[in-house]
Amino acid sequence: MSYLQGYIAGDDFGRVCDVCGRLRPGKTFRVVSNIWICSFHPSYIPRQPLDKVPFMQIGAPRSIPNAKPLALKDTFEVAEGQILNMILSADAGKTTANVTACDGPVNIAGTNIPIDSGQDALTTGNERAAGWSLIYLHDLIVEAKRPLLWIRKATALVKVLADYLVARQIDGPGSTRALASTTNASSIKWGGYGGRVGGSAFTCLTEYSAVGGLALLRAYQLLGTPMYLSAARACAWFIRGAQCGDKLIEYPSSSDSAGTSPIHHGAWARSALNAVFPEHHTLDHFYDPRDLIGLEFLRAFKDEVGDETIGSSAITAVFGSSRAAPISTCIAEAMAFWTDGAFSVDDGAVINGLSSTTPRNEFSSYPTVQGNSGNFGLGSWNWLEGSYHYGLTIASLPWAQAIRGIRAIEGDSARVIALFDYLMSFTSASAYELPTRSLTFGEVSQVQTNDQGIYSGTLGAYDPKVAPATVLTVVDPDSAPWTTPTPVAVNGSSFYDLAALGMLAPLYASRQQAAFAATKDSLNLPRPRFREGTDRDNKNIYLGILGTCGLSMQPFTTVGVRIASVAAAAQLGNIYRYAPQAFGGRGV
């Protein structure tokens, strides 16, 4: 019988419905393709006749009032893939990065560009690049939202980088360096990493131990290798030693103006120098905000092991008293200096250089003589130019690292928000904006808009909501030299510092949401390259591997030059861990 037969006449016997199982009188049934269907299913169409009905006759879609359009989510995987692939490929022996998307078919021809060998190539001993790379890989792995291939490759590289950081310690529990003395934990160089290493001298940089220590701790948390925790502990010991320059028997790094009474500022000296002949050990007298990334390391280390004592208690020929102190004390002393400030001789007052009212680039403490290192300090806060009387600018990346470090201790405190909002208050300097094009008679003046003209340079209108500029002008140039500096707040370069953007990513995500989303969209687009005079002209490149760009998003690291930076790219990669998420699209 067909579907159109309708009710069965003359059948008064009851039966069970083949669809719902109800017992119904016979006259309430119809039979469709040998299926008995009761009147509870007036619109029921069984599979057999439904297969024969054309699709458009089944029914038109319903109209939903005020419906929201489907938003296609952008995973940003290709843009971040450039960063990850460069980190994966920048191993020992390589000085170029052949940039491809690490998860598949995207291969951008002509992007074989040099890695900054002076700052990033592992062959030059840059533990900072290795450390930031490992921190980035840890965050990507823990997030667990990226393709499995990414996570597997990242996990494998974590071990390689952690082993590298262990071996590169100038002195430490697993060091294989020529200057290593693995039983001398009271040494000034225990847990240090070198910016310079030679047969007779070395320089250990505090920032390197802070970043290296955090990286080694993350490797331990991922892989559980005890040596990584021991090496991270050595980094913590070095940081504590860098805080105790006043305790050096010879050439204390911080004192009164006469150089006779050591002062314990509590800030971390920028570096330690060991000159083997003669046997002099000195700590730098410069205190730099970039070293406050050590706060993040010490907070994470304390969370892992508890408030243990760090620093040697031994009284050696170098230190005249114990350096040992709980981690919490080390953190509190560093925070106090960068919160309360210090007396600045040139200012004639106590100055907090990490503030919106008196922004400075560093503090140079007394004494005026630093022994055989040749350094000297004048007890004053300085700008990027060094000289108090002619300084104008600060560098944004050290400030960004400082804000990130303080945020690890305080969260989104009033101090953190005030520092971030200060960076967001800078306006565009006309000296770095695009010029107006040449005019003919009767034309209205307008800004240059030719793509080739724009992308062959670095000029543009500065907007701090995109990213901080590499250099920020905080003093009016017309007031130099001065007695009282006249403050300004404009960009001091034609470059965005994308690494600084990565350091401040959680604050951009919470306080500049729309701008942060727009910036991630901009970084998701490869940018054109003009006038190189090579076969790479007019081919595109992603900005993430450079770490900086021009103010109109031009792919340059200096005027006319593109050099990939492993460290800067790893720092920028932090933006993909914050909303709008790399994996979840714009609305997540």
Side-chain angles (χ1 to χ4, degrees):
M1 295 184 182
S2 70
Y3 173 74
L4 301 176
Q5 178 178 346
Y7 294 115
I8 303 172
D11 186 356
D12 293 326
F13 298 97
R15 67 156 294 155
V16 174
C17 176
D18 290 338
V19 175
C20 65
R22 290 184 176 90
L23 179 62
R24 301 285 290 163
K27 290 185 177 181
T28 62
F29 282 86
R30 57 184 172 177
V31 179
V32 180
S33 300
N34 295 321
I35 298 175
W36 287 68
I37 307 168
C38 75
S39 59
F40 275 86
H41 313 286
S43 60
Y44 180 85
I45 304 176
R47 179 178 58 82
Q48 295 90 335
L50 185 61
D51 290 341
K52 301 177 182 179
V53 177
F55 175 77
M56 294 306 295
Q57 294 182 19
I58 295 176
R62 296 177 60 190
S63 176
I64 302 175
N66 303 316
K68 294 182 179 180
L70 176 63
L72 297 177
K73 294 181 178 181
D74 195 331
T75 64
F76 306 112
E77 284 189 10
V78 174
E80 186 180 5
Q82 308 299 310
I83 294 174
L84 178 57
N85 187 71
M86 185 176 70
I87 292 173
L88 293 171
S89 65
D91 54 9
K94 291 188 178 180
T95 57
T96 60
N98 188 18
V99 182
T100 59
C102 67
D103 64 332
V106 178
N107 184 7
I108 303 173
T111 55
N112 193 32
I113 62 176
I115 295 175
D116 187 350
S117 59
Q119 294 293 321
D120 295 293
L122 301 188
T123 50
T124 65
N126 194 308
E127 298 85 3
R128 178 175 175 270
W132 279 117
S133 295
L134 200 159
I135 293 167
Y136 163 77
L137 296 173
H138 165 271
D139 294 347
L140 183 149
I141 293 166
V142 170
E143 184 190 43
K145 298 294 185 180
R146 282 308 198 182
L148 182 59
L149 176 62
W150 289 34
I151 295 175
R152 287 175 176 172
K153 286 179 175 287
T155 303
L157 187 58
V158 163
K159 183 181 186 306
V160 173
L161 292 175
D163 290 343
Y164 173 87
L165 289 170
V166 169
R168 292 293 297 182
Q169 278 185 331
I170 287 181
D171 208 348
S175 175
T176 59
R177 298 292 292 276
L179 293 173
S181 174
T182 56
T183 61
N184 189 15
S186 63
S187 168
I188 192 175
K189 61 183 181 287
W190 183 263
Y193 289 105
R196 298 191 305 272
V197 179
S200 61
F202 68 84
T203 298
C204 293
L205 303 176
T206 302
E207 180 192 8
Y208 281 35
S209 287
V211 174
L214 180 59
L216 286 163
L217 177 64
R218 297 309 189 200
Y220 168 74
Q221 292 170 334
L222 282 174
L223 305 178
T225 305
M227 177 55 71
Y228 300 157
L229 183 62
S230 297
R233 179 174 286 108
C235 291
W237 278 47
F238 179 86
I239 290 175
R240 176 57 187 171
Q243 203 168 27
C244 298
D246 59 302
K247 298 181 180 181
L248 287 169
I249 294 175
E250 193 174 25
Y251 304 122
S253 66
S254 52
S255 69
D256 61 2
S257 59
T260 57
S261 301
I263 297 176
H264 186 70
H265 284 299
W268 294 314
R270 187 171 58 186
S271 63
L273 172 68
N274 168 221
V276 179
F277 303 106
E279 183 69 14
H280 287 160
H281 299 74
T282 58
L283 283 167
D284 204 335
H285 61 285
F286 287 106
Y287 303 136
D288 195 310
R290 77 184 67 218
D291 295 329
L292 285 176
I293 196 65
L295 291 172
E296 182 176 355
F297 164 47
L298 292 182
R299 172 59 186 268
F301 188 71
K302 179 174 175 287
D303 290 344
E304 181 67 33
V305 303
D307 194 15
E308 71 177 33
T309 297
I310 57 175
S312 174
S313 61
I315 298 176
T316 69
V318 179
F319 286 95
S321 59
S322 170
R323 289 160 279 165
I327 298 173
S328 58
T329 298
C330 188
I331 291 174
E333 289 181 357
M335 286 287 294
F337 177 84
W338 291 101
T339 300
D340 302 334
F343 183 80
S344 178
V345 174
D346 285 331
D347 290 279
V350 174
I351 294 294
N352 176 14
L354 192 63
S355 70
S356 60
T357 54
T358 54
R360 304 294 164 85
N361 206 65
E362 64 185 12
F363 179 72
S364 174
S365 73
Y366 277 118
T368 56
V369 178
Q370 276 283 286
N372 68 329
S373 69
N375 294 325
F376 62 92
L378 298 176
S380 294
W381 289 90
N382 292 330
W383 284 272
L384 185 60
E385 292 80 3
S387 169
Y388 168 84
H389 294 286
Y390 294 91
L392 303 170
T393 63
I394 61 174
S396 64
L397 183 57
W399 267 55
Q401 287 192 185
I403 294 171
R404 171 170 167 157
I406 295 173
R407 186 175 182 273
I409 303 299
E410 296 184 345
D412 290 339
S413 64
R415 184 202 339 257
V416 168
I417 297 303
L419 289 172
F420 177 76
D421 287 350
Y422 172 61
L423 295 182
M424 294 300 101
S425 70
F426 279 67
T427 57
S428 182
S430 59
Y432 300 107
E433 294 176 349
L434 287 167
T436 55
R437 66 179 178 85
S438 299
L439 304 178
T440 60
F441 180 76
E443 286 186 328
V444 177
S445 176
Q446 59 182 328
V447 174
Q448 174 180 291
T449 57
N450 176 267
D451 282 348
Q452 185 163 343
I454 293 173
Y455 277 92
S456 61
T458 61
L459 300 179
Y462 173 63
D463 182 357
K465 295 178 178 61
V466 174
T470 54
V471 177
L472 300 171
T473 300
V474 296
V475 173
D476 186 352
D478 293 335
S479 67
W482 52 76
T483 302
T484 302
T486 303
V488 295
V490 296
N491 57 305
S493 77
S494 61
F495 294 92
Y496 283 121
D497 195 323
L498 302 179
L501 169 67
M503 294 292 94
L504 299 172
L507 291 165
Y508 272 95
S510 62
R511 299 188 63 78
Q512 298 290 348
Q513 295 176 4
F516 188 53
T519 298
K520 292 180 76 173
D521 285 340
S522 295
L523 296 177
N524 200 39
L525 298 174
R527 298 290 167 170
R529 317 193 297 181
F530 290 105
R531 293 183 179 177
E532 283 189 331
T534 71
D535 61 356
R536 294 193 294 258
D537 277 1
N538 300 319
K539 294 179 180 177
N540 296 339
I541 185 173
Y542 285 86
L543 300 178
I545 63 172
L546 303 178
T548 64
C549 68
L551 295 182
S552 297
M553 309 305 282
Q554 304 99 325
F556 286 111
T557 49
T558 60
V559 176
V561 178
R562 302 173 183 87
I563 301 177
S565 171
V566 177
Q571 290 171 318
L572 171 63
N574 193 44
I575 68 174
Y576 296 114
R577 310 284 82 83
Y578 291 91
Q581 293 284 22
F583 67 89
R586 297 174 175 82
V588 180

